[in-house]
Amino acid sequence: MINRILEFSIRWRYFVVLLWVVLIGAGTYAAFRLPIDAVPDVTTNQVQINTPAPGFTPLEMEKYVTFPVELAMSNLPRKTEVRSISQFGLSQVTVTFEEGVDIYWARQLVLERLIEAERNLPVGLSPELAPISTGLGEIYHFTLEQAPDSPRDYSLMELRTLLDWFIKPELRNVPGVIDVNSFGGELKQYEILVDPNKLVSHHLSLSQVIDALRTNNSNVGGAYLEQGGEQQLLRGVGLIQSLSDIEDIVISAEMGTPIRIRDIATVGLGAEVRQGAATRDGRGETVMGIAMLLKGENSRTVTDAVRHRLVQLEKSLPPGVRINPFYDRSTLVSQTINTATTNLIEGCLLYTSDAADE
């Protein structure tokens, strides 16, 4: 058998050399594509269910939200445990499955049971599944800051709006990124501060104001008219575009005179109620983003893609706004690989020298 292999190798030596080169190239390519991480991900198969409920106390959250969801998940196949956290305004239920269970199959089971659980929840609450990530999924941290030489001052609300509506959608298109979490800043919202005295003087209720806002913020499609061989579409445009649009909404009429929002309330921009803030280096509040890794992806290659994408996005930001990273998973992985490589080489050299001395 060995003679035949030697005879074949000598006769077809150019083919053997070519095959050897191809194998080395394939091995090198596979080595650089190998999913290596600094720490092993030992997270179990988990599916998290988050239910936001503004205004609910922890006791109400446990009683009216967490318990019905837990009850619906109690007899799932191949489930190992169900645990939960109930806090002000948020319920989180974590369902853990056996090792080897396909995470997408597990999420499908949970979604089917959520349909049943949602019937028993208070009106207006909608549970949602957390992204397919793990405790080690935070691969890239960065802050959105104002540069020292900025031509203008940017508020925390403006920076948070840039992060949520410009940077996050772009980063979500990077392969391997499942989500981007936002922290800090002020979440922009439109506020209508109703004057109770004016409301009573016009014989109106708060529910009438809410109904008027809801019904006057939509576009309505209609039919079409044929004119000159063309179709002219008919539609009603009613989406709110500015603060003045809100102020002009009609609530009711009094002796033929329309009563608008501006007659009984003050309209302006405000920030959503928050429970914390993000700071960095003791320089006050900032706006922070965290790129989350899809479970099972190569953290090193995905982190490199996120870094390159942020460099491109920074060129499109308004003047004076910059992206300042402070945690990069690929740096940690590279340093870990260098440390392991150095230790192996030094160990081999020491072993070789000891063997030579003997």
Side-chain angles (χ1 to χ4, degrees):
M1 184 66 182
I2 296 178
N3 292 333
R4 291 182 179 178
I5 295 176
L6 292 175
E7 181 181 354
F8 176 83
S9 300
I10 294 172
R11 177 178 299 178
W12 303 98
R13 51 186 177 275
Y14 296 111
F15 174 75
V16 173
V17 172
L18 179 61
L19 180 62
W20 176 73
V21 172
V22 171
L23 290 177
I24 290 179
T28 304
Y29 175 79
F32 281 102
R33 300 285 296 179
L34 189 66
I36 301 175
D37 211 330
V39 289
D41 192 347
V42 295
T43 309
T44 56
N45 279 329
Q46 297 180 356
V47 179
Q48 287 187 337
I49 308 166
N50 297 325
T51 308
F56 278 50
T57 65
L59 180 60
E60 293 172 338
M61 189 66 71
E62 176 69 26
K63 185 176 181 180
Y64 299 117
V65 182
T66 303
F67 179 73
V69 174
E70 283 185 330
L71 189 62
M73 304 297 157
S74 59
N75 61 341
L76 285 174
R78 305 191 66 180
K79 169 189 65 67
T80 58
E81 70 170 351
V82 177
R83 62 180 187 272
S84 64
I85 298 175
S86 298
Q87 59 186 30
F88 175 74
L90 178 65
S91 166
Q92 185 178 81
V93 178
T94 303
V95 185
T96 305
F97 291 85
E98 299 174 0
E99 290 292 335
V101 171
D102 181 72
I103 187 62
Y104 297 98
W105 177 79
R107 291 171 68 90
Q108 180 63 33
L109 288 179
V110 172
L111 278 174
E112 292 174 359
R113 295 300 178 86
L114 275 182
I115 298 175
E116 172 189 344
E118 196 168 358
R119 301 170 185 167
N120 300 321
L121 298 181
V123 177
L125 299 187
S126 180
E128 56 188 23
L129 298 186
I132 309 174
S133 188
T134 66
L136 298 177
E138 299 181 3
I139 58 173
Y140 203 89
H141 296 199
F142 63 93
T143 54
L144 196 62
E145 302 175 353
Q146 175 180 308
D149 56 348
S150 174
R152 53 160 294 196
D153 290 332
Y154 292 90
S155 65
L156 291 174
M157 182 180 295
E158 291 175 318
L159 294 176
R160 177 62 182 267
T161 302
L162 277 174
L163 176 62
D164 289 342
W165 295 96
F166 177 69
I167 297 178
K168 285 180 64 172
E170 293 292 336
L171 284 185
R172 284 175 175 172
N173 291 327
V174 176
V177 175
I178 188 62
D179 197 10
V180 179
N181 294 332
S182 303
F183 294 92
E186 296 178 344
L187 191 59
K188 180 180 177 181
Q189 65 179 14
Y190 295 94
E191 292 184 348
I192 302 173
L193 304 179
V194 179
D195 188 331
N197 295 326
K198 294 181 179 180
L199 200 66
V200 172
S201 65
H202 289 290
H203 307 287
L204 297 174
S205 64
L206 193 59
S207 60
Q208 288 179 279
V209 178
I210 296 175
D211 291 340
L213 290 169
R214 183 183 299 112
T215 56
N216 284 273
N217 186 28
S218 62
N219 287 348
V220 179
Y224 62 88
L225 295 177
E226 293 188 4
Q227 184 176 5
E230 296 182 351
Q231 289 183 349
Q232 303 292 332
L233 299 180
L234 302 177
R235 67 190 186 107
V237 180
L239 282 178
I240 295 174
Q241 302 291 332
S242 62
L243 295 177
S244 60
D245 290 343
I246 300 177
E247 294 175 337
D248 290 336
I249 291 177
V250 177
I251 307 172
S252 180
E254 192 175 81
M255 302 294 293
T257 303
I259 303 173
R260 306 178 189 272
I261 293 292
R262 63 168 175 259
D263 298 327
I264 53 93
T266 302
V267 181
L269 295 178
E272 188 179 73
V273 178
R274 55 181 184 165
Q275 294 184 335
T279 63
R280 180 178 177 184
D281 300 332
R283 296 177 299 181
E285 289 192 51
T286 187
V287 176
M288 182 174 66
I290 300 178
M292 302 297 296
L293 178 72
L294 176 64
K295 183 178 180 180
E297 290 291 329
N298 189 337
S299 64
R300 183 171 54 176
T301 58
V302 176
T303 304
D304 291 339
V306 170
R307 187 192 318 110
H308 295 153
R309 187 58 180 151
L310 285 176
V311 171
Q312 297 174 353
L313 291 175
E314 192 171 20
K315 301 176 183 178
S316 303
L317 292 176
V321 180
R322 65 181 183 182
I323 298 174
N324 190 2
F326 62 93
Y327 173 72
D328 188 329
R329 174 71 68 82
S330 63
T331 303
L332 177 62
V333 174
S334 299
Q335 292 177 352
T336 304
I337 294 175
N338 292 336
T339 301
T341 303
T342 302
N343 293 340
L344 289 174
I345 293 174
E346 292 177 352
C348 291
L349 292 175
L350 291 174
Y351 176 79
T352 303
S353 61
D354 291 342
D357 292 339
E358 293 179 358

